[in-house]
Amino acid sequence: LSACRVFEYGSGGSTLFWLKRCASIVSVEHFSPWYRKMMRYVDKRLNMVEEINLASYPETIRRYGSFDLVVIDGAERGRCAQEAIKHLNKGGMIIFDNAEWYPNTCAFLRKNGFTQIDFCGFSPLNSFTEMTSVFFRDRLDFPYKAKSPHWTPIGGHPLSFSPPDDLEEA
């Protein structure tokens, strides 16, 4: 991954992870106090972008070209996925955090030629399990095995509502 260009919706621990492993990273953050904390890590490989306007947040990627890897772990995840596929290099991948909460967005990505691989388990700072999905394009051809409508990871935290930033059902 050392030659990868990474774009990240939402900054934090993953930003620091990628900063040690990739050629460059652009990370957009909508929460101003967190953005200010993350600014201490900016260097020649990390470009932190503050975008508090959620209507414009997903479109921030348009200013920076194409990427090998897009991480979706911030606001407006459905619309971010729609933008991400337009700015992903051939053979690139999308890492989508909390994918179990966004079934329509995941279906959108699969319908657009991506293969979804799910990783479930405990994550830092949470007492419940979560699912992060990696979406590959142009490399794998495994059909997605759909889960039951109210599925959550074992020990997971189900939502009593659909996140407002999930896409409409496809």
Side-chain angles (χ1 to χ4, degrees), residues 131-152:
M131 182 170 81
T132 297
S133 295
V134 178
F135 290 86
F136 295 92
R137 179 167 62 187
D138 305 327
R139 291 188 188 164
L140 304 171
D141 189 20
F142 296 113
Y144 185 72
K145 182 180 177 189
K147 294 163 183 62
S148 65
H150 301 290
W151 176 89
T152 58

Side-chain angles (χ1 to χ4, degrees), residues 11 25 44 56 103 122 127 134 157:
S11 62
I25 182 168
K44 64 181 180 175
S56 301
F122 288 100
S127 61
V134 178
H157 182 70

Side-chain angles (χ1 to χ4, degrees), residues 26-127:
V26 176
S27 186
V28 59
E29 179 59 51
H30 77 283
F31 186 57
S32 293
W34 191 250
Y35 168 80
R36 288 191 296 275
K37 285 185 180 194
M38 292 302 296
M39 283 300 292
R40 76 179 83 162
Y41 301 105
V42 170
D43 70 5
K44 64 181 180 175
R45 292 181 303 120
L46 172 60
N47 182 3
M48 285 295 304
V49 180
E50 182 180 28
E51 181 53 73
I52 60 172
N53 180 349
L54 294 182
S56 301
Y57 179 86
E59 299 163 1
T60 305
I61 195 170
R62 294 178 185 177
R63 293 182 267 179
Y64 298 96
S66 61
F67 294 88
D68 304 300
L69 175 64
V70 176
V71 179
I72 301 175
D73 188 18
E76 297 296 322
R77 294 186 193 196
R79 291 182 46 235
C80 290
Q82 290 174 322
E83 285 294 328
I85 65 173
K86 300 174 192 172
H87 300 278
L88 194 63
N89 290 334
K90 183 171 177 57
M93 67 178 163
I94 294 172
I95 297 177
F96 196 102
D97 203 26
N98 309 109
E100 75 276 20
W101 295 345
Y102 298 89
N104 299 331
T105 302
C106 292
F108 163 80
L109 290 168
R110 292 191 306 272
K111 285 182 181 178
N112 278 275
F114 288 84
T115 300
Q116 180 177 353
I117 308 292
D118 300 330
F119 296 89
C120 300
F122 288 100
S123 65
L125 307 176
N126 293 320
S127 61

